[in-house]
Amino acid sequence: MDSSSATAGVSTRREATRQKLYEAAVTLIAEQGFSATTVDEIAERAGVAKGTVYYNFASKSVLFEELLRHGVGLLTASLREAAEATARAGGGKVDALDAMIRAGLVFIDRYPAFTQLYVAELWRTNRAWQSTLMVVRQEAVAVVEGVLREGVENGEFSEEIDVPLTAAALVGMVLVAALDWQSFQPERSLDDVHAALSRLLQGRVSGGRG
């Protein structure tokens, strides 16, 4: 095995370990809170030695900060891919936003514990990772903003749309609606929730200039 292959193998194993730590941390913190969760518990849940946690992350706080960055990064990538796939298929900007809503719902359905933590942390102001959270949140919202701006420029959306606020509202709508769905209306299917949010989208942003 050459050095590049060996390096790639180590990198892959480390990413797999970090993913296990992310999953263990998000599950435990969702169950019992950040302060009550210990590094020992995270290591035990992940099936690794305590030293492995500190090898990958300097502290529990750093682990949680990286967890937030990682999770929101996955969400952002999902939104971006949904928009790009719609464009490749020849769809319009409303279609892109609708695809992004579905992508967001799929993400939340897959990572419900992370989503609960993310929404809860958005409202806290005394955390060391608050500035990081604001940055990664804006990265996700910016993907939606980009689609809205392009829609305004090509006449698909009204020039009266407040792009930053509408983008934030759409992201927030998906997050809150999905959490409500999972907590209080779990009998609904993803398709059912998506259809309801699609109707809200049509009323919120569709309509050309005039």
Side-chain angles (χ1 to χ4, degrees):
M1 179 182 292
D2 60 33
S3 60
S4 61
S5 297
T7 300
V10 170
S11 177
T12 299
R13 286 194 298 275
R14 186 175 187 192
E15 283 305 308
T17 298
R18 289 168 73 92
Q19 184 63 38
K20 287 196 295 184
L21 290 171
Y22 288 142
E23 292 172 358
V26 74
T27 302
L28 285 166
I29 294 170
E31 289 174 354
Q32 57 196 35
F34 177 80
S35 298
T37 299
T38 67
V39 171
D40 285 330
E41 289 173 321
I42 292 171
E44 182 179 359
R45 180 67 66 93
V48 302
K50 181 177 180 180
T52 301
V53 180
Y54 289 115
Y55 175 75
N56 286 275
F57 305 99
S59 67
K60 184 177 70 170
S61 292
V62 171
L63 166 57
F64 192 57
E65 181 174 352
E66 287 301 310
L67 168 64
L68 291 170
R69 189 190 300 275
H70 174 72
V72 181
L74 291 176
L75 173 60
T76 302
S78 296
L79 298 177
R80 183 177 294 111
E81 172 54 29
E84 292 174 351
T86 302
R88 289 194 297 270
K93 299 308 176 186
V94 171
D95 298 322
L97 291 173
D98 190 56
M100 294 164 87
I101 285 174
R102 185 174 187 86
L105 291 173
V106 169
F107 174 88
I108 294 164
D109 189 44
R110 183 175 179 183
Y111 303 108
F114 171 80
T115 305
Q116 291 169 13
L117 286 179
Y118 170 65
V119 172
E121 290 300 318
L122 282 174
W123 297 102
R124 301 182 191 275
T125 59
N126 60 342
R127 301 295 206 190
W129 49 78
Q130 187 66 22
S131 60
T132 295
L133 185 58
M134 292 301 99
V135 169
V136 295
R137 170 203 168 275
Q138 184 52 40
E139 290 173 357
V141 174
V143 178
V144 183
E145 287 184 8
V147 172
L148 287 168
R149 286 198 175 91
E150 291 171 0
V152 171
E153 290 169 1
N154 68 19
E156 191 170 347
F157 302 148
S158 169
E159 290 181 331
E160 295 180 358
I161 284 179
D162 184 322
V163 170
L165 185 58
T166 301
L170 287 171
V171 173
M173 175 184 75
V174 173
L175 287 172
V176 174
L179 290 177
D180 185 89
W181 159 41
Q182 294 181 336
S183 298
F184 304 113
Q185 304 180 66
E187 71 281 0
R188 288 180 176 269
S189 68
L190 191 150
D191 288 340
D192 188 23
V193 177
H194 177 215
L197 296 187
S198 291
R199 286 190 286 273
L200 284 175
L201 169 69
Q202 295 291 334
R204 185 70 180 88
V205 302
S206 63
R209 295 172 178 162

